[in-house]
Amino acid sequence: MDDSAARDARYMRRALELAEKGWGQTAPNPMVGAVVVRDDDVVGEGFHARYGEAHAEVNALRAAGDHARTATLYVSLEPCAHVGQTPPCTGAIIEAGIARVVAAIRDPSPIARGGVEALRAAGIEVDVGVERDAALETNASFFNAHASDRPWVVLKLAMSADGAIADLTGMHRWITGPEARVEVHRMRANADAVAVGVGTVLADDPSLTVRDAAPPRVAPRRVVFDSRLRTPVAATVVRTAAEAPTIFVASRGAPADRRAALEHAGAEIIAATDLPDALVSLRSQGIRSLFCEGGARLAGSMLAAAVVDRLAIFQSQMLIGPNQLGAFEFAPRGFAERLSRLRVVTRRGFGDDELTIYALREVPCSPD
């Protein structure tokens, strides 16, 4: 990589760092970051902080002021060329006197894209593709929403060192430590919905809310996969359905009296023939990203149906011992052995635990 390419990559990585400052606040818009550089000095930075507010480019140009003239603008997504919640960014870029724009990737939206052409028509040099793969990963659910009729699905599993997903003896309530659990709440905050299977509801009575992270702009909905609607009306997700919208995914033959009881409590019921059908229904309800927290049966069903896009495994150093419920107990045969052949998106430590995110499917990308 020559010096200019390395410089472009460095500033784009900074733009991507800035983009993530909008975590949980920008949906259904993407997270976007921007950096203004003049004579190899950063003169302005910005990011899209909240849906409906100024875009990253505008914030970066405001920070740069007159220093933006003849500078280079690095932005993690093609600048928009349409009037939406805010004016088109291309107009602000042209007016600021930017000489060159470097965009990580084109916008997949047929409404928003066109910024590249508008900028080139104004005489601005435009390059696209710097840190493209990282930009795709940052906004995976956004890109997926323009190419798929189902949500982007992240399956999260917490595993002991010997592969258990639960301690059936009840001696250990938590497999992972507090740092990992805080990260799980942060991950929830950027999802449109958090999902579990009915087994998890019956065993743990979870609330499935965001607590140990900055509150998202819109709280994620809660989804319970419960084919026979066995969830009791006294469960936390039912009792609080008026405060946090809750959807139950049931089979078409689920008992009518159970359906009526849950609906009376304020929950919504979706009837589906199988998991792919259920996910299409959830997507039609505006759920573009689904953060699924298991348990083992739902995880196995999702893996078998090939509807998981990212597998996030928090591995602890705890040894639980034999005869416990394995994380892949209900997964397709040989799936655990396949992990070593999957692409690792990221690997990070949280206290004594390690998070590894595996790619089971590539992010659908926009045409360049």
Side-chain angles (χ1 to χ4, degrees):
M1 184 182 292
D2 62 28
D3 289 346
S4 62
R7 184 168 55 250
D8 284 349
R10 183 173 74 253
Y11 290 129
M12 188 61 75
R13 286 193 294 270
R14 175 56 183 163
L16 288 163
E17 283 180 16
L18 290 166
E20 294 219 5
K21 290 180 177 290
W23 188 270
Q25 307 301 321
T26 66
N29 282 356
M31 296 179 289
V32 182
V35 179
V36 181
V37 178
R38 180 173 172 177
D39 298 327
D40 211 20
D41 287 328
V42 173
V43 295
E45 294 185 334
F47 63 96
H48 183 34
R50 192 174 176 87
Y51 176 77
E53 296 183 3
H55 287 188
E57 301 95 314
V58 172
N59 286 329
L61 291 170
R62 286 173 179 166
D66 291 341
H67 297 292
R69 194 156 299 279
T70 73
T72 296
L73 171 69
Y74 294 86
V75 60
S76 59
L77 183 70
E78 174 187 17
C80 64
H82 78 298
V83 177
Q85 294 283 329
T86 60
C89 293
T90 50
I93 294 168
I94 294 167
E95 185 178 346
I98 289 289
R100 177 179 178 235
V101 172
V102 181
I105 193 166
R106 295 293 299 263
D107 195 311
S109 168
I111 297 173
R113 68 186 285 122
V116 167
E117 290 77 12
L119 294 171
R120 285 174 176 162
I124 296 173
E125 179 186 354
V126 181
D127 293 304
V128 180
V130 176
E131 295 293 311
R132 179 177 179 275
D133 291 345
L136 273 172
E137 200 67 40
T138 296
N139 287 301
S141 63
F142 171 75
F143 285 97
N144 183 71
H146 289 276
S148 176
D149 61 356
R150 66 168 181 81
W152 181 257
V153 176
V154 177
L155 172 62
K156 186 274 294 183
L157 296 173
M159 294 170 47
S160 65
D162 46 356
I165 197 175
D167 180 3
L168 301 181
T169 68
M171 291 179 61
H172 302 285
R173 182 184 178 193
W174 301 110
I175 289 178
T176 54
E179 295 93 337
R181 297 199 295 274
V182 167
E183 175 61 12
V184 170
H185 280 266
R186 192 191 74 89
M187 294 169 80
R188 286 180 181 180
N190 203 46
D192 292 328
V194 178
V196 294
V198 63
T200 297
V201 173
L202 295 175
D204 301 332
D205 192 26
S207 61
L208 304 180
T209 55
V210 177
R211 299 183 298 281
D212 296 326
R217 185 182 70 88
V218 178
R221 281 177 272 182
R222 303 178 299 190
V223 176
V224 179
F225 289 90
D226 184 359
S227 61
R228 302 299 297 168
L229 297 178
R230 293 187 292 140
T231 300
V233 292
T236 299
V237 290
V238 181
R239 288 189 294 103
T240 59
E243 304 160 24
T246 304
I247 299 171
F248 286 86
V249 177
S251 66
R252 298 190 185 279
D257 61 332
R258 296 297 308 147
R259 177 181 184 126
L262 292 172
E263 288 180 331
H264 180 73
E268 181 180 352
I269 313 297
I270 288 177
T273 55
D274 54 22
L275 269 174
D277 181 39
L279 292 174
V280 170
S281 294
L282 292 172
R283 177 67 183 86
S284 71
Q285 299 241 4
I287 294 175
R288 307 200 303 180
S289 54
L290 185 68
F291 185 61
C292 180
E293 300 192 32
R297 286 188 182 276
L298 178 59
S301 297
M302 285 191 150
L303 291 169
V307 295
V308 176
D309 300 298
R310 292 290 178 270
L311 175 60
I313 295 180
F314 286 88
Q315 185 106 42
S316 80
Q317 297 182 22
M318 178 189 299
L319 290 170
I320 291 182
N323 303 318
Q324 303 296 338
L325 182 61
F328 301 113
E329 190 85 18
F330 304 102
R333 184 184 298 274
F335 180 81
E337 289 70 31
R338 279 184 53 206
L339 284 179
S340 62
R341 300 194 295 273
L342 295 176
R343 181 173 69 83
V344 173
V345 176
T346 188
R347 183 173 278 127
R348 295 173 58 197
F350 293 92
D352 293 331
D353 307 312
E354 184 175 70
L355 167 64
T356 305
I357 299 180
Y358 297 93
L360 276 69
R361 188 170 75 98
E362 295 308 312
V363 184
C365 62
S366 57
D368 291 333

